[in-house]
Amino acid sequence: MTPNFPRALRRLAAPLLALGCLAGGPATAQDNYPNHAISLVVPFAAGGPTDVVARSLGAAMSKTLGQSIIVENRPGAGGTLAATHVARAAPDGYTFLIHHNGMATAPALYRKLPFNPLTDFAYVGQVADVPMTLLGRKDLPPADMVEFIKYARANGNKINLANAGLGAVSQLCGMLLQEALGTQFTTIPYAGTAPALTALLGGQVDVLCDQTTQTIPHIKAQRVKLYGVTTLDRIKTLPDASTLQESGLKGFEVKVWHGVYAPKGTPPEVVAKFNASLRAALQDPAFTQKMAELGAEIVPEAKQTPAGLQSWLQSEVDKWGPIIRKAGVYAD
């Protein structure tokens, strides 16, 4: 029997070893995540507001993940090219998307959308909110928002309203403003925020909604006329600026919000680890300081979770869909 003893042990050990590999394999793989660089896809060009948020966030998250987060800019089609790319990427935890309000407005804006924002992604969490400001050219007659409301209702389409193009938050803000005022302006779209703001500074247009990341220097230099901020509460960076709600437009709220997404099917353990790194980054002093410089505000803890982002995205889809459809704004 002695000669056969090692062979019997081997026969007994083989299934036990296989069972051990099955039990320990996935856990070991998740424990080793991430083991190489991660791609964070941005739907807009380098140097823009979302790109700045993404690069600052990636630098902070790299500290806890132990791997580089490489920002990949994929601009075009109002952000839908980047979102489509991530929706179709391998759900292995190495490709993520950071996007703003465009995730919520795309279903109403695009007749043939190649992805569903509500079902084709795994949610990670929200990052930061950027307030919008309502600006007028420096010599526009109204002195404040109360006067502007009267002026707008009296002049209607004589007022030129600039925006940064289809799907831009400045366009959404303008649509909501017109609906709140019960009037229609003459809308002039530009190919981005920079040319729209340049047109306002040059007096070629009358009014523009734009985010604090772009407007604060011009407001402080008094190169434009500030009528108010589009948040429900006053903001720290412009404490003397009234909200549009204070001036009579009850419930008026538009802000640029940022969420992080993964392809649908990404393992929950990977999403959880990436979310933990995200939440740590939102407390990182360098990141919070950078957001403060931009006029951005870190979202509350409840919004930093996958459930928080999912709930918010659904509410934004429900909010903007009817407004966009009523305005009859579509992209093929």
Side-chain angles (χ1 to χ4, degrees):
M1 292 194 53
T2 303
N4 294 328
F5 186 66
R7 184 178 299 175
L9 277 179
R10 286 197 297 272
R11 285 199 300 268
L12 180 62
L16 292 174
L17 181 61
L19 182 62
C21 289
L22 287 173
T28 301
Q30 303 307 336
D31 288 345
N32 290 336
Y33 172 83
N35 55 31
H36 60 79
I38 297 167
S39 176
L40 182 60
V41 180
V42 176
F44 309 106
T50 301
D51 179 74
V52 172
V53 173
R55 292 179 188 277
S56 301
L57 180 67
M61 291 182 66
S62 295
K63 298 176 185 178
T64 54
L65 290 172
Q67 293 289 344
S68 297
I69 294 183
I70 300 172
V71 171
E72 180 183 348
N73 299 94
R74 285 182 173 260
T80 61
L81 293 182
T84 301
H85 169 74
V86 174
R88 295 174 178 174
D92 56 7
Y94 290 94
T95 304
F96 291 85
L97 170 73
I98 182 168
H99 204 343
H100 66 17
N101 311 49
M103 280 291 272
T105 58
L109 283 171
Y110 293 87
R111 299 178 192 273
K112 299 177 181 178
L113 193 64
F115 63 90
N116 186 326
L118 295 170
T119 60
D120 291 346
F121 297 89
Y123 303 94
V124 178
Q126 285 184 251
V127 182
D129 294 336
V130 183
M132 300 287 285
T133 51
L134 178 62
L135 307 177
R137 55 180 167 81
K138 189 175 180 179
D139 57 348
L140 198 66
D144 55 31
M145 188 59 194
V146 174
E147 288 188 13
F148 176 81
I149 291 173
K150 296 177 182 177
Y151 180 83
R153 287 172 173 161
N155 290 276
N157 60 14
K158 295 179 183 178
I159 298 173
N160 293 325
L161 171 68
N163 67 47
L166 183 67
V169 183
S170 58
Q171 183 201 31
L172 302 177
C173 182
M175 285 194 291
L176 189 62
L177 178 64
Q178 292 171 85
E179 181 171 278
L181 292 172
T183 189
Q184 292 292 315
F185 300 145
T186 297
T187 301
I188 303 178
Y190 288 84
T193 297
L197 185 56
T198 298
L200 183 73
L201 292 168
Q204 285 95 42
V205 294
D206 301 313
V207 185
L208 171 68
C209 263
D210 199 4
Q211 55 187 295
T212 54
T213 51
Q214 307 290 327
T215 63
I216 284 179
H218 302 293
I219 292 169
K220 292 186 175 180
Q222 298 184 336
R223 290 189 284 264
V224 292
K225 190 169 286 187
L226 173 63
Y227 288 117
V229 295
T230 64
T231 47
L232 296 179
D233 301 308
R234 295 196 180 198
I235 62 175
K236 296 177 183 177
T237 48
L238 296 169
D240 296 329
S242 62
T243 68
L244 268 60
Q245 176 170 250
E246 287 179 68
S247 300
L249 302 184
K250 298 299 182 183
F252 194 102
E253 181 182 26
V254 182
K255 56 190 175 184
V256 182
W257 55 271
H258 301 85
V260 177
Y261 308 80
K264 182 179 180 179
T266 301
E269 298 86 355
V270 169
V271 173
K273 190 165 187 177
F274 205 72
N275 172 260
S277 178
L278 169 68
R279 287 185 283 112
L282 299 187
Q283 299 179 34
D284 181 272
F287 180 75
T288 56
Q289 176 61 32
K290 182 63 176 179
M291 292 303 100
E293 291 172 3
L294 296 173
E297 299 177 351
I298 305 300
V299 298
E301 289 185 8
K303 288 188 173 183
Q304 298 171 16
T305 64
L309 174 57
Q310 182 177 18
S311 176
W312 179 256
L313 178 62
Q314 181 67 68
S315 70
E316 286 285 280
V317 169
D318 295 341
K319 172 182 177 177
W320 289 108
I323 295 172
I324 293 169
R325 286 188 285 270
K326 182 179 178 181
V329 179
Y330 298 103
D332 293 329

